[in-house]
Amino acid sequence: MTFSTTPLIGLRADHFRHPLDLQATNALKQLPGLDLLVRQILGGVGEQFFYLENIASSILVSDQQLPDLHQLLLAACKTLDLEPPQLYIRQHPVPNAYTFAMRGKQPFIVIHTSLIELLTSEEIQAVIAHELGHLKCEHGVYLTLANLVVLAANQLSPWGAILAQGLQAQLMEWLRCAEFTCDRAALLATQDPRVVMSVLMKLSGGSPSLASQLNLDAFVAQARTYDQISRTELGELLQQAQTAQLTHPLPVLRAREIDRWSSSPNYQDLLKRNFMVYNSEANPKGGWRNW
């Protein structure tokens, strides 16, 4: 099943990158040696482990296997002007999706079955497009490092542990900003802000039995209320304390950002724009990242 959207041929990451993502990425680029640190932590063995662990425990989507999901992937890639990665479906009770890309190897996306059960076809496409956003923006080095810092900090060498402790706060800030960018990719692929915000609502408090009873307009109003409260000095301090250690922005904040950007001239111009130069730089080099 595919949905009618405007293909954005020639779309580049900087056309939709969130300003906070750009700012945080530039800050990380000032830190020397990150590529070296990732190679030291991950190495060839680690790359093979993550790849084999997924292909051994998941179903590879294709035109012969779960073809409806395969069409959702192809349609999202066409709209975002990106080469299709592999897509795997994995049996897991926790709704989630993530992307892994290794230099010189085929990138792939994994979606948990519990997330599939929770979402409509359009919402699944939004999840796929969010993960494609990481590939489109070439988030690879920092995403790989951030995941390893979060998941394996206690297993690093003393030198690596010291660096990880110093990098963690900055990496968490960057991760949250990068998620805003990839939500924009989800919006560009579906071209319906309600679809993207509905995914965030269901990830906040949805289940297969509750999904049909959820009220998206009430959730959007909830997001706007949170935004109003956080504008006070006390609210801002509480918000910072609440999110400092999170890898993802709060769902209500993500919904608020999509709500804002979908009515912005920047988004509307992207849908109407005639991209004259083909995006020959769209070489997927993304990274492993949870939705």
Side-chain angles (χ1 to χ4, degrees):
M1 180 183 298
T2 58
F3 308 98
S4 178
T5 57
T6 301
L8 305 176
I9 305 302
L11 179 71
R12 297 196 303 272
D14 286 344
H15 288 147
F16 64 92
R17 196 185 299 272
H18 195 283
L20 292 177
D21 179 14
L22 181 61
Q23 180 181 347
T25 300
N26 288 337
L28 281 179
K29 287 180 178 179
Q30 303 305 312
L31 300 176
L34 285 186
D35 279 312
L36 178 62
L37 180 59
V38 172
R39 286 195 297 269
Q40 182 195 45
I41 295 172
L42 189 59
V45 175
E47 290 182 345
Q48 287 298 314
F49 171 80
F50 288 126
Y51 183 72
L52 292 174
E53 197 270 339
N54 275 292
I55 65 171
S57 306
S58 309
I59 298 295
L60 175 61
V61 173
S62 69
D63 56 352
Q64 301 297 315
Q65 183 75 274
L66 302 173
D68 287 349
L69 293 177
H70 188 242
Q71 286 301 313
L72 292 178
L73 170 68
L74 295 182
C77 288
K78 180 179 179 180
T79 302
L80 296 175
D81 193 16
L82 190 66
E83 289 296 319
Q86 292 180 337
L87 172 62
Y88 291 87
I89 304 301
R90 182 168 187 169
Q91 180 70 39
H92 201 286
V94 178
N96 197 16
Y98 57 87
T99 303
F100 190 62
M102 299 170 287
R103 293 184 184 277
K105 300 180 186 289
Q106 172 72 44
F108 62 90
I109 295 170
V110 178
I111 302 179
H112 290 174
T113 52
S114 54
L115 186 56
I116 296 289
E117 293 297 320
L118 185 61
L119 305 179
T120 67
S121 293
E122 288 179 294
E123 292 163 354
I124 293 169
Q125 188 174 62
V127 170
I128 292 172
H130 175 100
E131 298 303 326
L132 292 173
H134 288 302
L135 299 178
K136 187 76 176 181
C137 295
E138 300 184 342
H139 283 157
V141 170
Y142 305 133
L143 286 165
T144 302
L145 179 59
N147 277 287
L148 291 169
V149 167
V150 172
L151 299 176
N154 60 342
Q155 300 180 18
L156 302 180
S157 65
W159 176 77
I162 293 173
L163 285 179
Q165 184 177 5
L167 283 171
Q168 185 170 0
Q170 193 165 356
L171 282 168
M172 293 303 98
E173 174 69 19
W174 176 81
L175 277 173
R176 293 190 293 272
C177 296
E179 293 300 312
F180 285 135
T181 292
C182 293
D183 286 344
R184 289 184 171 190
L187 176 56
L188 288 172
T190 60
Q191 297 174 11
D192 186 345
R194 294 182 66 85
V195 170
V196 181
M197 290 189 290
S198 181
V199 173
L200 297 168
M201 176 181 64
K202 291 180 179 179
L203 287 173
S204 299
S207 71
S209 63
L210 294 176
S212 63
Q213 304 175 50
L214 294 174
N215 185 323
L216 181 57
D217 292 326
F219 180 72
V220 174
Q222 177 182 334
R224 292 170 181 166
T225 299
Y226 182 88
D227 188 35
Q228 292 170 0
I229 294 174
S230 64
R231 287 175 184 171
T232 67
E233 185 175 348
L234 176 59
E236 184 176 354
L237 290 174
L238 291 174
Q239 184 189 85
Q240 291 174 355
Q242 188 177 24
T243 60
Q245 298 302 315
L246 298 179
T247 59
H248 290 62
L250 296 170
V252 291
L253 294 180
R254 296 170 66 180
R256 178 205 67 185
E257 286 297 304
I258 287 299
D259 186 34
R260 286 179 175 176
W261 195 59
S262 64
S263 59
S264 70
N266 176 234
Y267 171 70
Q268 299 298 331
D269 288 346
L270 284 176
L271 296 186
K272 299 174 183 177
R273 183 172 178 179
N274 181 20
F275 295 100
M276 299 301 293
V277 180
Y278 185 80
N279 183 18
S280 61
E281 299 176 357
N283 180 22
K285 298 179 183 177
W288 182 33
R289 186 66 234 136
N290 296 332
W291 166 270

